[in-house]
Amino acid sequence: MRSYTDWNCRLLHNMRDLTLRPKQAAEALRALRDRCGFCDIYLTPEYDCELESVPMFLLRQDHALRELRELLPQDCRVHAACCAVLRPGLSQTPALHRLRLPGTDCLPLRLPFLPDQPGIPQELNRLLYHSRYRLLLMSFDSYAAFYPPEALERLIALPHAVCQFGYQALVQPPMKKLLKALLSLRTPVLFGTGVNSLQKACHYEFDAYIRAASASFSESERETLFFRNSIPHIRS
């Protein structure tokens, strides 16, 4: 059976956006792995350039990850990643390149829920056209509840972007329509759980989401969505 990947897991303890303890995080990760059968899990705590430097963030992340791996079985493969909050000045942050998704030139990015905040369109433009990065737009399906249709259309048309969706988007008709549009544009899509607690890990309806995908997408479309958009295929 093919193994799936969780590209957006929020279970790394002791990071600024979470209050989990190491044992809680390890228990939740084991539950998520057993429930969903993930071969790899990417841990994506938020990085905020207004609160700390990249080296300080990575130091805390490395410490938490080493602590976590000591509590996990060897077959539970977890990887360090992040999700940078888009703020004015982010593109000028020293050592920002160290936050790229491992093995790629993709910078994981969380957009604000209000698209026209002061300075945000200009900063997005700098990252798109005046940086070395390919933008990985995290939790893309969450923007649909806040962004007007024309803003979503502009986002999916961004050059060289990669979009990350929750697996739960596969049961939502508007998101399925959006995924079809991204397939037609050949925009890479990565899927993740967004799980950030033991309770959510134990009740994540992964099988239902995959069944919904089987009913809505052809075999070749599912192959592209789930397996062809792996790390080697989103490298520049």
Side-chain angles (χ1 to χ4, degrees), residues 11 21-34 68 71-72 198 201-202:
L11 287 170
R21 297 185 179 275
K23 289 185 179 179
Q24 291 175 314
E27 185 180 356
L29 280 164
R30 286 193 295 268
L32 193 64
R33 190 253 343 238
D34 294 343
L68 185 60
L71 301 172
L72 291 172
L198 175 59
C202 291

Side-chain angles (χ1 to χ4, degrees), residues 23-220:
K23 289 185 179 179
Q24 291 175 314
E27 185 180 356
L29 280 164
R30 286 193 295 268
L32 193 64
R33 190 253 343 238
D34 294 343
R35 188 172 182 83
C36 306
F38 292 128
C39 59
D40 292 281
I41 297 174
Y42 285 79
L43 301 169
T44 56
E46 284 191 352
Y47 168 74
D48 191 332
C49 65
E50 293 186 350
L51 299 177
E52 63 185 330
S53 66
V54 170
M56 183 59 67
F57 171 84
L58 293 176
L59 187 66
R60 293 192 303 109
Q61 183 189 51
D62 181 66
H63 176 76
L65 189 62
R66 284 189 284 108
E67 203 171 33
L68 185 60
R69 282 175 171 158
E70 292 178 358
L71 301 172
L72 291 172
Q74 289 187 346
D75 63 344
C76 189
R77 301 204 302 259
V78 294
H79 309 276
C82 81
C83 181
V85 179
L86 180 61
R87 297 194 187 280
L90 176 66
S91 60
Q92 304 304 312
T93 301
L96 185 64
H97 66 279
R98 297 178 63 187
L99 299 183
R100 291 174 299 180
L101 189 69
T104 78
D105 59 355
C106 291
L107 178 67
L109 201 64
R110 180 175 71 75
L111 302 181
F113 289 123
L114 298 176
D116 295 323
Q117 291 184 22
I120 291 301
Q122 294 85 350
E123 190 63 24
L124 185 60
N125 185 72
R126 290 187 196 100
L127 287 166
L128 276 169
Y129 300 108
H130 303 285
S131 79
R132 69 188 79 178
Y133 309 114
R134 187 174 188 182
L135 300 188
L136 169 53
L137 305 177
M138 301 294 285
S139 303
F140 195 90
D141 44 317
S142 65
Y143 305 135
F146 301 93
Y147 281 36
E150 60 272 16
L152 280 178
E153 290 176 6
R154 290 198 300 269
L155 282 179
I156 67 172
L158 290 177
H160 311 299
V162 181
C163 298
Q164 186 270 312
F165 282 71
Y167 281 101
Q168 59 272 19
L170 295 165
V171 300
Q172 301 167 8
M175 293 301 100
K176 289 189 282 188
K177 182 179 179 180
L178 189 54
L179 285 165
K180 291 275 189 180
L182 290 169
L183 281 168
S184 67
L185 292 169
R186 299 187 177 182
T187 300
V189 175
L190 303 179
F191 285 88
T193 63
V195 162
N196 61 3
S197 69
L198 175 59
Q199 182 180 13
K200 290 181 180 179
C202 291
H203 295 92
Y204 197 74
E205 299 293 337
F206 182 74
D207 289 343
Y209 304 146
I210 297 303
R211 287 196 300 271
S214 298
S216 302
F217 298 92
S218 68
E219 183 176 353
S220 63

